[in-house]
Amino acid sequence: MRNTNLLSVLFLLACVACSPARKGQDGDLAGSTPKDRLIENLRAAPSKGILFGHHDDTVYGIGWEFEEGRSDVRDVCGDYPAVISFDLGEIELGGDQNLDKVPFGKIRQEIINQYNRGGLVSLSWHARNPKTGGDAWDVSDSTVVRSILPGGELHPKFQGWLGKVCDFIRSLRTTEGTPIPVVFRPWHEHTGSWFWWGQDLCSAEEYKALWRMTADYLGTHGAADQVIYAYSTGTEPRDQASYLERYPGHDLIDVLGFDAYQRDDRDLYLRSLETCLSVIDSIAKENKKIIAISETGYEGIPDSSWWTGTLLPAIARHPVAYVLVWRNARERVEHFFGPYPGQVSANDFKVFYQDPKTLFASDINLYK
Ligand code: BMA
């Protein structure tokens, strides 16, 4: 082979190696990773419907815990949620269960099960207060974020905490060893001041630096190909500027979300959803981001037609990829946000499930 030919072959090989993922014949992105495919599928989701999610769905529900295959949502409609979220709170302490007494081994297994169903997993982290030793809601000290940033006295300790999170994420693998991608949603609801990373507890620069430090750690310790980041405010932002005031950057974030709960005032809830969704919708359109209602619900669901009468019409007006309701606590009567058999909104949830606009686990495979 002549040198010029050799050079052409090398050049062609280099082009193939460096080119972005290509469409395969079956529409799959040839050479893409599960994380790439997940992002693409979440971007495309709103053209098919809205993925329904439930926190801690398969680990406990009303009157049960840790029963193989069980889910309150499935007990009502026959299908698993398309999205299940779990919380890593207290993983930083090195124990074997999280703040809601769910063993991390159980969470890991349920993440693998959800991946095998083609569904999405989101992880939040109600990290304890690294300075006071209190919980995530301990807002007694407003120097906590500063103290864990590079140069701060608790920086080395907090790097250890990030290490625990990173180890857990890296342990999420199928039996064949495929790394499972997850949405990671740390430092949420920071536009309020009820967590130690909240609005009045740190400056915008400190908050952004906390995000950068978190992502840098995971990125440089082997979790980069498994993590998609979600930025998730409360309902406080009223416009693009306030939503983005503490935004860590488009290079880091793929999912734009917010948490909003209905309390007694239905109209207030509907107005909050509409305000937040229209703000996020405009940012997402300009920057190709995925829109999520990362936490919502009506505690105790006293409204028997809440699913089709309030939630669905409110979210269907915007290209929302997923909406997730919070947990069905087995240890706190009335602290539930998903349906269960016999609950007053269970029949309405079945209608919500049947609506072509909602997507559940059997409707999707986010990794193909
Ligand atoms: C809150 C409540 C708490 C729980 C925490 C983390 O909204 O549900 O009971 O400990 O989330 O899951």
Side-chain angles (χ1 to χ4, degrees), residues 55 87 99-100 126 137 326-327 332 335:
H55 187 70
D87 199 277
L99 77 170
D100 294 318
H126 286 85
W137 293 265
W326 204 240
R327 65 199 195 101
R332 272 171 71 183
H335 191 60

Side-chain angles (χ1 to χ4, degrees), residues 55-56 60 86-87 89 98-100 124 126 137 188-189 195 261 295 299 326-327 329 331-332 335 337:
H55 187 70
D56 276 353
Y60 57 78
F86 299 99
D87 199 277
N98 79 355
L99 77 170
D100 294 318
S124 50
H126 286 85
W137 293 265
H188 64 301
E189 299 178 10
F195 294 128
Y261 287 89
E295 280 184 39
E299 189 176 36
W326 204 240
R327 65 199 195 101
E331 81 287 8
R332 272 171 71 183
H335 191 60
F337 302 85

